[in-house]
Each structure stands twice: as structure tokens, then as C-alpha cells.
Amino acid sequence: VERVGLALLEAGQARRAAEMFRQGLAANPQAEPLFRSLIRAQLKLGERSEAAVTYQACVSMLEQLGAAPAPETQALRQSLVG
């Protein structure tokens, strides 16, 4: 799912990519890479507030697991606030 979504994102089909990433997260809600990909798609679509909500959902999920966001995920936060 992630590879297809990334290919769609690269092809300029961010909306379809975002849907793929959402489907992947529905099947695997602990997949931090899918959260990152969804955030990137949302940012490409200009959906900054939705991306911020997705980022917070990712961080909350990781906290429940006793983990911290990966550096790649933390770097996306700068895109949300900057």
C-alpha cells in the first residue's frame, strides 16, 4: 500500500495517495511510515490543519507504545509550524 501511495504522490496524485495511506493505516494503525506519508500528501494538498491532526495522532499512538517519533517524523513537524 505504501509503495503504491508513494508512486501516486510522485505522480502528482496526492488525493489518491492520501486515500491509499489512510487505507494502510486502517489495516495497520501503528505504521509510523504511513503516518509520515499521509502527512506529506496532506501538505501537498494544502491541508495543513489535517496534516497537524495526523501528526498528533501519530505522536499519540507512539506515546501509547512508549516510543518517540522517529527523526523523519519529527522533521515533518517543522513543515506544519513553519
Side-chain angles (χ1 to χ4, degrees):
V1 169
E2 185 178 16
R3 276 188 280 179
V4 173
L6 290 173
L8 288 168
L9 194 57
E10 282 188 28
Q13 297 182 39
R15 191 156 312 281
R16 287 183 61 203
E19 185 54 37
M20 291 295 297
F21 300 136
R22 284 186 189 97
Q23 288 176 10
L25 284 167
N28 186 2
Q30 297 177 343
E32 185 178 2
L34 286 173
F35 275 104
R36 283 195 302 267
S37 295
L38 177 56
I39 291 166
R40 287 186 189 106
Q42 290 169 322
L43 289 171
K44 278 201 176 217
L45 291 166
E47 298 174 349
R48 186 174 295 260
S49 62
E50 291 87 345
V53 169
T54 301
Y55 178 84
Q56 190 54 50
C58 178
V59 170
S60 295
M61 175 275 300
L62 290 168
E63 286 175 350
Q64 290 175 2
L65 297 174
E72 299 93 336
T73 304
Q74 292 176 8
L76 281 173
R77 185 173 186 273
Q78 295 305 314
S79 300
L80 299 171
V81 296

